[in-house]
Amino acid sequence: MMVESLLDVLLQTLLSIMSKSHSVETSRGQRCPQCTAEITGEYVSCLLSLLGQMTEIHFHHLINSFHSKEELKEFLLKIFCVFRNLMKLTIFPRDWSVMRLLTSHIIVVTTQFLSPALHKNFSEGDFDFKVWNSFFSLTVLYINQPSLQLEALPPAKRRKILDKHGDMRVIMAYELFSMWQKLGDNKPHFIPGMMGPFLGVTLVPQTEVRNIMIPIFHDMMDWEQRKNGNFKQVEAELMDKLDSMVSDGKGDDNHRELFSLLTQLFGPYPSLLEKIEQETWRETGISFVTSVTRLVERILDYRDCMKGDEMENKKIGGTVNLMNFYKSEVNKEDMYIRYIHKLCDLHLQAEDFTEAAFILLLYWELLQWEDRPLRDFLHYPCQ
């Protein structure tokens, strides 16, 4: 009775408050996020308490209470949206770690109860991209949330959390993998769009999570190969995301191992390289993994060079290596141009104007006479 009368009201109330949380004003006309957080915190506590007491029977009864698939879809979108907001907004103070962990625990358990309904009602002929995309976005955001990155915690606190809740990132990663497998012929709807978000999951420094993601990347390559006869889209998306993520400071040296030492990775599934070697497209697949391995090595070297007080020559050397890789090894002109500009900026910062001009000459050599205007760069107008 409480679920039927309160759950939807709580979800609707929270969505309403959360959507207005950026526009709440005090009598002076200034925003008061603390006031909103306090109000929202009370409703969130009620929601968590209700969900925490629900068993499989309650969820089964709830799913069967919807009169149409449209009603069920609306409910799933609503609860997934509230869960994502709980991870993005600061509902509880940062030092309330017990409450934050409880929130994460209830989210993953509720997701496990709801995912069968998603698969049963919105797969195959009744496939609905919006609700599946909402689910995958939730899982990616969940695994990446800072409060679950146990590696940053003291050993005693880490053990205490693992004893009580386990590693909830791994639990959600298995849920993500299970639902990906159940997509069947609808997987192409998320290729290459989910490549970037899924890659973000592998940047979590947890070996088991990374091992779980390997078959998904293999799947993406396989579907792309079947659809287009190659996986250029997947390759381009993967390289672009790797470059932007790792050069922005995300990732660690273990990411090098994920791609270059795949055969030594042990988990519940074979390594990506082993899976590729069983395919008819193994030659292009192995070539792709080798290229990505070399790219990761150069990006990590570049990131290390750009850290702290490294010598200018070392920064320039790391940038040149990456720039040449994009030109000669993978022939990605857009990335090559990106690093031409980064290298030019380094020379300008060092007031080495002649070298900066020679670097721009590399860009000039790529240009043809045509009607298409160039993009703005280096503060020159578009011509």
Side-chain angles (χ1 to χ4, degrees):
M1 287 173 64
M2 288 180 70
V3 170
E4 286 182 356
S5 59
L6 284 179
L7 183 55
D8 193 62
V9 177
L10 275 170
L11 291 173
Q12 197 60 53
T13 305
L14 279 168
L15 280 175
S16 179
I17 295 173
M18 287 167 172
S19 66
K20 294 173 183 174
S21 64
H22 298 296
S23 57
V24 173
E25 295 184 350
T26 63
S27 57
R28 296 183 179 180
Q30 297 174 327
R31 289 179 182 176
C32 181
Q34 187 179 354
C35 304
T36 314
E38 287 173 2
I39 298 167
T40 313
E42 292 179 2
Y43 288 117
V44 169
S45 300
C46 291
L47 176 67
L48 296 177
S49 182
L50 185 60
L51 291 172
Q53 294 181 73
M54 289 174 68
T55 64
E56 187 175 356
I57 295 169
H58 294 114
F59 279 104
H60 182 72
H61 183 79
L62 170 67
I63 299 302
N64 290 335
S65 69
F66 295 107
H67 301 296
S68 66
K69 287 190 177 182
E70 198 57 39
E71 279 186 21
L72 175 60
K73 174 186 170 181
E74 188 182 334
F75 167 76
L76 290 174
L77 288 173
K78 206 180 292 181
I79 197 165
F80 291 160
C81 183
V82 168
F83 284 169
R84 286 199 303 274
N85 282 332
L86 290 183
M87 289 178 275
K88 287 190 280 189
L89 301 175
T90 308
I91 306 297
F92 302 112
R94 295 196 182 278
D95 56 346
W96 286 27
S97 57
V98 172
M99 203 66 187
R100 285 167 170 264
L101 288 167
L102 176 65
T103 303
S104 295
H105 172 72
I106 289 173
I107 288 175
V108 74
V109 170
T110 303
T111 305
Q112 287 176 313
F113 280 128
L114 294 177
S115 55
L118 168 58
H119 170 238
K120 182 181 176 182
N121 293 279
F122 301 103
S123 297
E124 298 172 4
D126 294 318
F127 175 75
D128 191 293
F129 174 81
K130 191 174 180 182
V131 71
W132 276 92
N133 193 55
S134 181
F135 170 83
F136 285 131
S137 300
L138 168 64
T139 58
V140 168
L141 196 63
Y142 181 94
I143 295 167
N144 279 295
Q145 60 180 321
S147 60
L148 292 186
Q149 307 317 312
L150 306 180
E151 293 73 20
L153 300 176
K157 190 171 184 180
R158 191 187 315 156
R159 276 195 304 273
K160 190 176 179 182
I161 293 170
L162 289 172
D163 289 343
K164 186 167 185 179
H165 298 292
D167 195 326
M168 291 183 277
R169 296 171 298 178
V170 175
I171 298 169
M172 187 62 97
Y174 275 116
E175 194 64 28
L176 189 162
F177 173 76
S178 171
M179 293 299 281
W180 173 263
Q181 293 299 89
K182 289 172 182 174
L183 268 176
D185 292 343
N186 290 307
K187 289 174 184 175
H189 290 286
F190 300 94
I191 304 170
M194 287 306 293
M195 175 65 77
F198 286 170
L199 182 64
V201 173
T202 73
L203 285 166
V204 170
Q206 215 286 354
T207 305
E208 194 170 354
V209 169
R210 290 173 170 177
N211 288 346
I212 291 166
M213 299 307 292
I214 286 172
I216 296 181
F217 286 117
H218 169 268
D219 235 6
M220 287 181 157
M221 293 168 68
D222 188 40
W223 277 97
E224 189 72 8
Q225 179 73 23
R226 279 192 255 172
K227 183 181 171 186
N228 299 325
N230 59 62
F231 32 77
K232 290 192 182 298
Q233 269 190 302
V234 168
E235 184 177 11
E237 184 78 8
L238 181 62
M239 288 192 167
D240 189 57
K241 294 295 179 185
L242 268 174
D243 184 278
S244 59
M245 284 175 166
V246 182
S247 60
D248 285 346
K250 296 178 183 175
D252 56 23
D253 288 336
N254 287 335
H255 219 224
R256 192 192 307 259
E257 295 170 23
L258 179 65
F259 286 100
S260 63
L261 302 177
L262 284 168
T263 51
Q264 296 175 26
L265 275 177
F266 294 99
Y269 312 103
S271 76
L272 181 57
L273 213 51
E274 286 168 354
K275 290 177 81 69
I276 288 172
E277 283 172 349
Q278 298 165 17
E279 299 290 350
T280 54
W281 42 268
R282 64 179 177 274
E283 286 185 19
T284 50
I286 291 169
S287 170
F288 162 68
V289 171
T290 305
S291 291
V292 172
T293 302
R294 289 201 292 268
L295 171 63
V296 170
E297 287 171 354
R298 281 159 180 76
I299 290 176
L300 288 170
D301 288 342
Y302 168 80
R303 191 193 66 177
D304 292 341
C305 290
M306 302 307 284
K307 274 185 194 170
D309 303 321
E310 291 289 353
M311 299 289 291
E312 284 302 316
N313 285 345
K314 197 170 180 184
K315 291 181 180 180
I316 288 168
T319 310
V320 168
N321 285 340
L322 200 46
M323 185 180 79
N324 289 336
F325 173 83
Y326 283 126
K327 182 186 180 184
S328 48
E329 294 202 39
V330 292
N331 194 28
K332 280 185 65 66
E333 188 176 286
D334 55 330
M335 305 294 278
Y336 175 59
I337 293 169
R338 180 190 294 183
Y339 281 90
I340 284 176
H341 289 111
K342 288 189 177 187
L343 190 54
C344 181
D345 287 341
L346 283 174
H347 284 304
L348 287 175
Q349 288 166 20
E351 298 187 358
D352 203 344
F353 302 112
T354 307
E355 288 295 336
F358 273 114
I359 295 302
L360 280 183
L361 200 59
L362 297 174
Y363 181 43
W364 171 81
E365 288 169 355
L366 299 172
L367 302 176
Q368 307 290 330
W369 288 107
E370 55 185 32
D371 294 332
R372 182 175 56 87
L374 298 179
R375 294 173 301 181
D376 288 355
F377 71 101
L378 295 176
H379 312 295
Y380 294 126
C382 186
Q383 298 290 348

